[in-house]
Amino acid sequence: MALPGTSSGLHIAHIAAEMAPVAKVGGLADVISGLGKALQKKGHLVEIILPKYDCMQVDQVSNLKVLDVLVQSYFEGNMFNNKIWTGTVEGLPVYFIEPEHPAKFFWRAQYYGEHDDFKRFSYFSRAALELLYQSGKKVDIIHCHDWQTAFVAPLYWDVYANLGFNSARICFTCHNFEYQGSAPARDLAWCGLDVEHLDRPDRMRDNSHGRINVVKGAVVYSNIVTTVSPTYALEVRSEGGRGLQDTLKVHSRKFLGILNGIDTDTWNPSTDRYLKVQYNANDLQGKAANKAALRKQLNLASAYPSQPLVGCITRLVPQKGVHLIRHAIYKTAELGGQFVLLGSSPVPDIQREFEGIAEYFQNNNNIRLLLKYDDALSHCIYAASDMFIVPSIFEPCGLTQMIAMRYGSVPIVRKTGGLNDSVFDFDDEAIPMEVRNGFTFVKADEQGLSGAMERAFNCYTRKPEVWKQLVQKDMRIDFSWDTSASQYEDIYQKAAARARAAA
Ligand code: ADP
């Protein structure tokens, strides 16, 4: 184990827009706390910097207090005060930045989706770096995530390094290349970046339109660039890169894919307080009790304990294969199973469509659609379900298939991105039996999904003993952050060593 402050114990600061459970929209939040905790366990000093959102779950922060300092940061030609709050989330020290800016950037009752998101997060990126700079901390690694904090990379090297704040190295992780953060070039100046210097094809100008692209800027300016699975890292070098493929090819020497882990403290059926009954791989009776409890809670038919229950927990956005999720509902009904969907959509048309499906099935006691975000209920669905559907069109990593397996729910997924790196087809004789853990399909069409579902239902109903062994095997797979955190540790150490050598 490395000790903080020793040559191998690193000081790592994550600057991010989300962190579970205090400010969570999706997988990014899980990564910040899961990876942060794993690195802390390895002996590194890990700190997190987040915006202080009005809508965050303050009850998830211990010892939340305002620090007796005001950090001033630059924006649109003026200096603004920022209140700095500190607290502990999941054992990790967190700094929350509350800007004293008339636009009330983080008093919007939601995390994203505001007309001025580009402004809000470029402000935050600048203020977060200013906090590190003014604190005099000797940080080794500044790790920023997704477009919201991608501004950190060019700001660090073009602004702060010139002030002598240059001992750290920048790691940027793109959790999804669909969201790249683009704006007219002049908007870069708001946070103090030099528009003329950066609005160039080899720096921040988008590869296909005249605007600037913040994720591109982070790819160009960071010392390390990662994405969240090896397969997705390959996919984004071609059309999956959404226009950034050539940039990623140019910078391929510093780019790699590391599969996310899951937080095995949060996601642990043997200690999970949200469950009716805790259970483990040796006690599937406990799992059955959770299935019975959920059926009761949702008013689902419960005459046949062995009637298979299919779960799906997702943001309802095109990436997740919404037409295939819809198909899975009808297919489950046809195959005689039960289906529970927990999902909400930021896209009004999709939300309306699923409200229509929910209404259609409201008197059917085998199908339930819960169109909301509900963390507690998500735990109960993982525990209660026998199978879990993830039919994504693309999926950078995906956490739900791993969480599902940990709770003994067998995944049925499309072979793409991180799903391809974590789910291996039960019937594929080309791979060793011990790693086969779910059902996969390749083509993003109804036929492909139906085939995988039929094979899963067949195995479940005709070979209960085989199914039971599959469930137990899935529950015992190590999806902890341990291995992936070691990979991050390795690339951080190498970058920090190069920084020391350069100094
Ligand atoms: P993404 O980051 O693209 O949304 P991931 O699979 O990486 O997808 O992460 C999704 C995370 O969000 C999981 O922890 C999942 O349990 C959670 N989640 C998604 N939708 C909901 C919902 N409606 N209610 C509760 N949790 C949800």
Side-chain angles (χ1 to χ4, degrees):
M1 176 193 263
L3 292 172
T6 65
S7 62
S8 52
L10 298 171
H11 186 167
I12 302 153
H14 287 273
I15 302 177
E18 295 182 37
M19 178 189 191
V22 61
K24 172 165 167 171
V25 176
L28 166 64
D30 299 71
V31 172
I32 301 303
S33 29
L35 174 61
K37 278 162 70 174
L39 289 166
Q40 189 187 52
K41 237 184 248 165
K42 288 178 183 292
H44 303 290
L45 172 57
V46 181
E47 295 177 306
I48 318 283
I49 306 178
L50 297 177
K52 185 162 186 303
Y53 299 103
D54 58 344
C55 53
M56 71 183 197
Q57 313 279 308
V58 276
D59 56 328
Q60 302 285 355
V61 190
S62 27
N63 305 320
L64 181 63
K65 56 174 189 281
V66 169
L67 284 185
D68 192 17
V69 290
L70 275 182
V71 168
Q72 286 209 319
S73 61
Y74 173 91
F75 206 66
E76 286 187 280
N78 294 304
M79 297 302 285
F80 293 94
N81 285 333
N82 297 281
K83 254 191 215 158
I84 309 297
W85 297 70
T86 61
T88 307
V89 177
E90 299 275 301
L92 289 164
V94 183
Y95 294 89
F96 299 94
I97 296 182
E98 181 186 344
E100 291 185 354
H101 186 284
K104 295 202 165 292
F105 287 133
F106 301 108
W107 289 83
R108 305 295 181 82
Q110 63 174 354
Y111 298 110
Y112 312 126
E114 294 288 296
H115 70 282
D116 57 351
D117 276 359
F118 193 89
K119 235 180 204 184
R120 297 167 73 219
F121 290 101
S122 58
Y123 181 99
F124 169 65
S125 297
R126 174 91 200 217
L129 272 177
E130 197 63 45
L131 168 63
L132 289 174
Y133 174 56
Q134 290 184 26
S135 70
K137 288 172 191 278
K138 275 254 164 282
V139 184
D140 296 297
I141 298 291
I142 299 172
H143 195 152
C144 49
H145 299 263
D146 279 350
W147 79 262
Q148 289 87 353
T149 58
F151 301 92
V152 164
L155 275 172
Y156 182 78
W157 288 116
D158 275 359
V159 178
Y160 286 89
N162 298 333
L163 303 173
F165 178 41
N166 61 2
S167 64
R169 289 299 174 264
I170 307 291
C171 179
F172 170 67
T173 297
C174 187
H175 298 253
N176 191 333
F177 279 92
E178 182 157 78
Y179 308 103
Q180 298 183 2
S182 87
R186 63 175 182 275
D187 294 359
L188 272 185
W190 291 336
C191 64
L193 286 169
D194 180 340
V195 176
E196 223 168 285
H197 175 68
L198 292 168
D199 184 18
R200 288 175 25 166
D202 59 337
R203 295 194 178 144
M204 292 187 76
R205 190 182 301 155
D206 189 86
N207 295 338
S208 56
H209 51 67
R211 290 155 69 92
I212 50 90
N213 178 323
V214 197
V215 165
K216 176 172 172 179
V219 171
V220 172
Y221 271 83
S222 298
N223 303 90
I224 308 165
V225 180
T226 73
T227 191
V228 290
S229 70
T231 297
Y232 189 57
L234 283 178
E235 290 169 354
V236 296
R237 286 186 174 95
S238 55
E239 69 274 22
R242 306 286 157 124
L244 284 187
Q245 43 272 44
D246 290 341
T247 310
L248 290 167
K249 278 184 211 148
V250 170
H251 293 276
S252 66
R253 285 187 53 201
K254 63 181 180 188
F255 177 55
L256 81 164
I258 299 178
L259 189 71
N260 285 337
I262 55 171
D263 184 336
T264 45
D265 299 330
T266 304
W267 301 109
N268 183 352
S270 66
T271 55
D272 192 326
R273 284 157 197 260
Y274 290 120
L275 305 189
K276 197 89 189 151
V277 180
Q278 281 93 35
Y279 64 101
N280 59 52
N282 299 322
D283 155 37
L284 295 182
Q285 274 310 314
K287 181 165 173 65
N290 284 293
K291 183 171 171 181
L294 185 77
R295 284 169 148 180
K296 199 163 157 208
Q297 182 187 340
L298 300 181
N299 212 6
L300 286 163
S302 54
Y304 305 104
S306 63
Q307 185 182 11
L309 179 69
V310 183
C312 180
I313 300 172
T314 186
R315 291 182 297 122
L316 290 166
V317 290
Q319 171 201 338
K320 302 290 179 182
V322 277
H323 65 293
L324 295 177
I325 294 171
R326 185 185 57 211
H327 177 70
I329 299 171
Y330 290 93
K331 185 73 189 173
T332 301
E334 179 195 316
L335 292 170
Q338 294 185 317
F339 198 99
V340 175
L341 168 74
L342 174 62
S344 63
S345 185
V347 185
D349 281 354
I350 300 179
Q351 180 77 13
R352 261 196 302 279
E353 181 191 347
F354 277 78
E355 279 164 5
I357 304 173
E359 210 173 287
Y360 177 80
F361 282 112
Q362 67 184 347
N363 297 320
N364 181 321
N365 58 6
N366 284 318
I367 311 286
R368 283 291 169 272
L369 275 62
L370 305 137
L371 303 178
K372 59 177 178 178
Y373 183 92
D374 186 334
D375 190 41
L377 184 57
S378 77
H379 287 246
C380 301
I381 296 172
Y382 286 118
S385 54
D386 299 296
M387 300 168 201
F388 197 89
I389 293 277
V390 195
S392 304
I393 305 305
F394 72 97
E395 191 59 77
C397 176
L399 299 175
T400 61
Q401 78 281 10
M402 296 193 250
I403 302 170
M405 284 189 261
R406 188 150 163 84
Y407 283 70
S409 181
V410 176
I412 301 171
V413 310
R414 194 169 99 72
K415 259 173 109 51
T416 177
L419 298 169
N420 182 54
D421 295 324
S422 56
V423 184
F424 305 97
D425 196 277
F426 190 66
D427 296 321
D428 185 348
E429 287 170 4
I431 45 183
M433 191 57 184
E434 60 270 22
V435 299
R436 297 188 216 163
N437 55 8
F439 295 86
T440 66
F441 61 101
V442 177
K443 269 191 91 181
D445 60 16
E446 298 184 354
Q447 220 176 349
L449 172 60
S450 288
M453 289 182 70
E454 281 161 14
R455 287 190 293 118
F457 270 70
N458 241 323
C459 181
Y460 178 91
T461 43
R462 301 219 180 132
K463 301 177 190 157
E465 258 318 299
V466 173
W467 186 268
K468 185 177 162 199
Q469 283 166 17
L470 174 59
V471 168
Q472 290 176 319
K473 177 165 70 181
D474 283 4
M475 290 184 73
R476 293 185 179 123
I477 300 173
D478 179 8
F479 285 118
S480 74
W481 266 101
D482 212 40
T483 312
S484 309
S486 298
Q487 288 176 269
Y488 276 104
E489 186 179 35
D490 186 48
I491 53 173
Y492 289 166
Q493 296 279 19
K494 285 183 180 140
R498 282 196 295 272
R500 279 194 296 273

